[in-house]
Amino acid sequence: MANEPAPGRNARLIVPPLVRAGEEFLVKLLIQHPMETGFRRDVNGNVLEANLLESLSMDFDGQSVFTARTTHALTANPFLTFVVAVKQSGSFNARWKDALGNAGSISASVRVAG
Amino acid sequence: MPVRSALAFVWLANLRAFYSSLAFCFALTCGAANSADSTTDAQPPISRDALRSGTDYISATLRAQQKDDDLNPGMLWVDQGRALFERDCAICHKTPRGLAAAHPKLAPDGAVITLERAINVCQTTRVNRSPYAIESQPLLALATFLSFSSRGMSQATPATVTQSTSWQRAQAEFTRIQGKLDFSCRSCHDKLYGKRIRTQTISQGHGVGIPAYRVEWQTLGSLNRRLRACYFGMETSVPVPTDPILAELELYLAWRAQGLPLEAPAVRR
């Protein structure tokens, strides 16, 4: 039985494609991650290894705009939003790393009108 | 005197035989009529006007999360399913739309082919790879993407489906009282929908939003898994995922929800 991870992205970063300079808008980030707390057991009674996101940060063209401390209180497949305003076109890059060392990233670009 | 009483006895015995044969004939005709009802003229238990998707019975917060694709965590599986479809399936299937609406369907041998089973048939015969494990990430992703692509369509179940053994077995299972709590699927989902059981509103039990992201599971799951969770909730023995009754129930549910648009990936508590 094949049980490979599905190809394609394991996160969604959603920004409006076109904004006005200085206008506030919402950035939405959804990451596919089990956020396993280490407190649960599987059907055979074995403890599921803890695996939480340990760092999560986002920058806009190299300038840090958002960081989060992600602990066991956060749900699986965390969804995070924040409000930001930019002066010129550029791209948001999100980066995260979990306790098992798996790193992920996603970027999305936003264009400033006029 | 003894002659008269003997005659009376014979007369009475004849009468009894007459009435019992009458009752027998009556039962026979009624039985025939009943079985005709349940095979050819069977109508879904909830009329088309009264059909409501499970989305109508969840909290406003969850509903908002489901309706907005930016917020819906099930869209992660849709994205991955799309990538898989473009890699493996697009060679034969020009469009993903309509494939999920055509399932579950009956195979020529009378077995039920669910969407997941159809994917695995393609996987082994066309893509020439090993089948996906039940409830594995790529299988869920493909099933979710295909269901998402058939959004707004209704599952097509031919009227003749009610004559199949699979449908009849599923109907018997749906109406069978079982488990410690002493009720059937029908007790709640045909009769008590809209009422509350503890903190939850009872839905009509349709599968049109599934594969769905379930908060309780903290992940997305198939209708097969959801049905097994139903058995668990009814405190009865839970069938294994490959049990044919689960596929047959999927067929029965699709027939029962005729006219309701597909809306996967739904978000449920």
Side-chain angles (χ1 to χ4, degrees):
Chain A
M1 291 278 183
N3 199 358
E4 84 235 54
R9 299 177 303 168
N10 63 347
R12 288 166 71 85
L13 176 58
I14 296 156
V15 292
L18 190 66
V19 294
R20 279 195 292 272
E23 181 193 21
E24 288 186 346
F25 58 89
L26 200 60
V27 178
K28 303 169 190 170
L29 175 65
L30 175 66
I31 303 170
Q32 192 169 40
H33 196 277
M35 291 300 281
E36 197 58 66
T37 57
F39 299 128
R40 298 199 308 156
R41 288 170 189 274
D42 65 12
V43 284
N44 300 317
N46 304 314
V47 174
L48 292 165
E49 193 182 359
N51 183 18
L52 297 167
L53 289 177
E54 290 196 325
S55 67
L56 171 62
S57 62
M58 186 150 3
D59 66 68
F60 180 73
D61 282 349
Q63 185 194 352
S64 176
V65 288
F66 179 83
T67 54
R69 274 186 64 208
T70 46
T71 63
H72 58 269
L74 197 59
T75 171
N77 307 308
F79 178 69
L80 301 140
T81 63
F82 62 95
V83 174
V84 71
V86 295
K87 291 198 174 71
Q88 76 281 334
S89 306
S91 68
F92 288 95
N93 307 290
R95 265 182 221 92
W96 58 92
K97 201 172 172 188
D98 69 16
L100 300 184
N102 302 311
S105 67
I106 188 168
S107 55
S109 53
V110 66
R111 200 161 66 82
V112 172
Chain B
M1 198 60 190
V3 176
R4 270 187 73 184
S5 66
L7 272 174
F9 177 71
V10 168
W11 184 79
L12 265 175
N14 277 342
L15 205 68
R16 273 190 65 187
F18 174 68
Y19 277 123
S20 62
S21 67
L22 201 71
F24 180 65
C25 290
F26 185 69
L28 210 65
T29 42
C30 278
N34 275 341
S35 67
D37 270 355
S38 65
T39 52
T40 53
D41 307 326
Q43 292 297 318
I46 302 171
S47 72
R48 196 168 279 225
D49 299 339
L51 285 178
R52 295 284 178 275
S53 142
T55 309
D56 291 5
Y57 298 102
I58 56 175
S59 69
T61 322
L62 276 187
R63 192 155 46 236
Q65 198 179 6
Q66 173 180 325
K67 300 269 175 175
D68 184 349
D69 284 346
D70 291 357
L71 264 67
N72 189 333
M75 293 304 289
L76 289 164
W77 280 260
V78 171
D79 280 353
Q80 291 163 355
R82 184 180 289 116
L84 271 171
F85 184 87
E86 281 162 6
R87 189 188 77 187
D88 292 341
C89 322
I91 305 156
C92 301
H93 298 284
K94 290 285 169 275
T95 170
R97 187 159 174 82
L99 293 172
H103 293 86
K105 62 182 176 189
L106 282 168
D109 67 355
V112 178
I113 303 177
T114 60
L115 181 61
E116 282 85 356
R117 186 172 162 202
I119 290 170
N120 265 342
V121 168
C122 268
Q123 183 74 3
T124 46
T125 60
R126 307 283 177 197
V127 189
N128 290 325
R129 293 167 69 175
S130 55
Y132 292 125
I134 287 163
E135 224 58 23
S136 63
Q137 180 70 17
L139 182 59
L140 279 177
L142 259 178
T144 311
F145 171 66
L146 292 179
S147 303
F148 167 81
S149 303
S150 289
R151 256 187 190 176
M153 300 173 83
S154 176
Q155 277 168 315
T157 42
T160 50
V161 80
T162 56
Q163 286 158 17
S164 67
T165 323
S166 295
W167 182 91
Q168 284 160 5
R169 272 166 50 95
Q171 195 210 27
E173 183 71 3
F174 197 83
T175 51
R176 179 168 70 92
I177 289 179
Q178 53 180 321
K180 264 203 280 184
L181 305 171
D182 222 18
F183 49 50
S184 65
C185 315
R186 182 168 184 262
S187 319
C188 281
H189 296 298
D190 277 357
K191 294 179 170 174
L192 294 175
Y193 56 82
K195 294 198 165 60
R196 315 244 330 159
I197 182 165
R198 294 187 184 146
T199 60
Q200 295 174 63
T201 311
I202 300 169
S203 78
Q204 294 182 350
H206 302 301
V208 290
I210 302 179
Y213 189 88
R214 214 172 161 218
V215 178
E216 185 189 318
W217 293 336
Q218 296 272 290
T219 187
L220 180 134
S222 66
L223 185 51
N224 182 295
R225 181 173 178 187
R226 185 64 192 85
L227 286 171
R228 282 184 281 126
C230 292
Y231 278 91
F232 181 80
M234 288 170 75
E235 301 198 24
T236 181
S237 54
V238 181
V240 293
T242 48
D243 193 323
I245 195 64
L246 292 171
E248 287 159 3
L249 277 170
E250 287 194 30
L251 179 79
Y252 181 78
L253 290 185
W255 169 82
R256 194 172 160 272
Q258 282 172 91
L260 268 187
L262 294 178
E263 51 178 12
V267 180
R268 295 287 182 265
R269 66 173 282 286

